[in-house]
Amino acid sequence: MTLATATEPPVALPTTPRRGRGRTQLLPALAFLTPWLVGMVLFTFGPMLYSLYLSFTRYDLLSNPEWVGLQNYALMGSDPRFWKSVGVTLTYVVVFVPLLQVVSMLVALLLNSRLRFLTGYRALFYLPSLMGASVAVAALWRQVFGADGLVNAVLGLVGIENVGSWVGDPARALGTIITLNLWAFGSTMIIFLAGLRQVPRELLEAAEVDGASKIRRFFSITLPMMTPLVFFNVLMGTINAFQSFTGAYVVSGGSGGPVDSTLFYTLYLYERGFTQLQMGYASAMAWVLLLVLAVVTGIFFRSSRYWVHYGDES
Amino acid sequence: MTTTLSAPSQPTRIPRPWDARTQRPAGNRVVKGIIKHAVLLCVLLIMLYPLLWMVGASFRPGNQTFAGLSLFSDTYTLQNYADGWSVGNLNFSKYFVNSAIITIGQIVGNLFACSLTAYAFARLEFPFKRVLFGMVIATMLLPQHVTLIPKYIIFNQMGWVDTYLPLTVPHFFAVDAFFIFLMVQFIRTLPTSLDESARIDGCGHWGIFWRIIMPMSLPAIGTTAMFTFVWAWNDLLGPLLYLPSSDLWTVSLGLNSFLDQTGQSTYGTLFAMATLSLAPIVGFFIASQRLLVEGIATTGLK
């Protein structure tokens, strides 16, 4: 999911002024919360526990689940395709997430000035982020980076010939998926742009008077003031990147190919669960993903006190 | 067009001692403005070119689909669009209707359930509120793949596979925690004085929710509707799992299947259908552009 919402890391709890009569409003609260509470039990916690149980079983939907203990987890350790999918996903996350921040920040900085047609630019840069996860654009990507695609046609214009298909080359296929998802940087950019507008001008002007260069002003004033948004964007970007699916599925025709070079973790999980009907193994994979994401999120929040600055003024 | 950039937009500003230093020759600023626009336009052109090219190719006759880099052509035809509605065993007119049904179901569900939940968290006091709100945040960060398999198994046992129910019903139970969060953030910014006067006038919680909070939350409601629309419309994994029979397929599934069986000769038709599938997104975006780009981006900054 890609979102255009600039939020501080969700730590602050909404506070309600105490009302005169009675401290709590338990009954109305229950009435309003019923759909959500039912949903939590039926569609989140129930299934989570069920999948934890399934991860210790062998289950193919047809016969009853058979308890196998930690076997699925042990099998993962010696499954080369599992490790391949881990490698592909980690490579993707490590390359894509920082690139996404840099590109978004650069474009946001370009747009953060008294610029004509700002609204138009902003809208056009944002638009792809609504389409990046669509099958239509992924299908287009397969053509654009194909052997006779647009990219090679452009390269041909400058005399680079016989480059071959990008999506068909194991060394380059992952790059095309990274480009596809980077293409949708608009939602991240919008958040940075909104943040840049909140950086007090007086501070930047004062630094300019003191002779600080543009680059110095960015790294010493703008960036530190933006760290809450960087935090939010990196966290959400990382969580989403780990779960990336549609682009890789469509571009590789559902196989994660060529030679498993775009075998994202989620693609492999899908293949194990729904093509080979190994629900137990797939559930175990899902829980490993959950644990890894929990650890990553934990590290993020822990580390935030060292590099995220919350200003006093808004 | 860029010359106006140098026009001072703060005519009443008091001259400050450092102004002399920051003022540059006007010509310099014009050049800078031109360079800025040139860079932005170049980046935009590179980004959007594939899309424009696809739209162009969809209007070319089948044998010219791949006629080079140009957006334009000598002959235009609507044949691809006419063909696209039923290619082989695919039936796109049906897929568009199916996608619309699922999308509307999800929008209604999310608006109903998420706004109720958000009201409780933003306006009511109740035990364990902190813990429960923490759970909203936690589900926002939870990878959907953890519940993918058990949900499939449960829906399968309930006989819901091959119906729209697995794709719509959960949304009536506020499973998209992100929208709860978004609405809570928004409702928090609304003044409580109106609630109080409504209460004095005899409004209960439902009255306050329905007559006061909801009408004031239109930006948040619109944002929720727009994003639900985009996610539901683009979704591939959900329909891939739950809609095996092609009668129920969505546009995403249709395009994916088309792509698998397509040869060079039918790419024009594929592009026509792909273009059509993106059109509603662009349409909704244009309709709600201001709301989306300006409204949401600042909602969370408060």
Side-chain angles (χ1 to χ4, degrees), chain A residues 23 33 40 62 73 78 100 130 185 234 246 258 261 264 270:
Chain A
R23 287 267 166 72
L33 287 176
M40 283 293 273
L62 307 169
Y73 293 92
S78 57
L100 177 69
L130 299 176
F185 73 91
V234 173
T246 304
S261 60
F264 279 67
Y270 174 84

Side-chain angles (χ1 to χ4, degrees), chain A residues 34-191:
Chain A
T34 299
W36 176 71
L37 286 170
V38 172
M40 283 293 273
V41 173
L42 282 188
F43 299 117
T44 305
F45 285 126
M48 271 178 76
L49 291 177
Y50 191 23
S51 87
L52 183 62
Y53 160 72
L54 284 175
S55 75
F56 299 114
T57 66
R58 189 181 296 134
Y59 184 41
D60 61 1
L61 277 185
L62 307 169
S63 46
N64 286 327
E66 177 196 343
W67 185 267
V68 294
L70 287 169
Q71 202 189 68
N72 287 323
Y73 293 92
L75 278 176
M76 256 182 250
S78 57
D79 175 357
R81 292 194 77 209
F82 170 80
W83 288 109
K84 179 74 191 174
S85 75
V86 169
V88 168
T89 308
L90 285 181
T91 312
Y92 172 75
V93 169
V94 168
V95 176
F96 170 71
V97 177
L99 260 181
L100 177 69
Q101 312 305 318
V102 172
V103 171
S104 306
M105 185 65 93
L106 283 177
V107 175
L109 284 170
L110 267 177
L111 289 178
N112 184 42
S113 54
R114 263 173 277 137
L115 196 67
R116 272 215 132 191
F117 312 118
L118 173 66
T119 327
Y121 279 126
R122 209 168 40 174
L124 286 174
F125 275 112
Y126 181 73
L127 185 59
S129 70
L130 299 176
M131 305 175 175
S134 69
V135 176
V137 169
L140 172 63
W141 233 248
R142 215 157 103 169
Q143 201 288 320
V144 167
F145 285 97
D148 305 313
L150 283 185
V151 170
N152 283 353
V154 172
L155 289 177
L157 288 182
V158 292
I160 305 171
E161 308 264 346
N162 300 324
V163 189
S165 167
W166 292 69
V167 290
D169 178 355
R172 286 178 289 170
L174 186 58
T176 65
I177 313 274
I178 292 174
T179 332
L180 169 61
N181 292 324
L182 208 54
W183 185 73
F185 73 91
S187 52
T188 313
M189 185 275 291
I190 288 283
I191 295 174

Side-chain angles (χ1 to χ4, degrees), chain A residues 3 6 25 114 121-122 183, chain B residues 5 37 47 125 231 294 300:
Chain A
L3 304 163
Q25 297 134 323
R114 263 173 277 137
Y121 279 126
R122 209 168 40 174
W183 185 73
Chain B
L5 271 177
H37 280 280
M47 274 178 72
E125 270 318 315
W231 292 354
E294 240 157 75

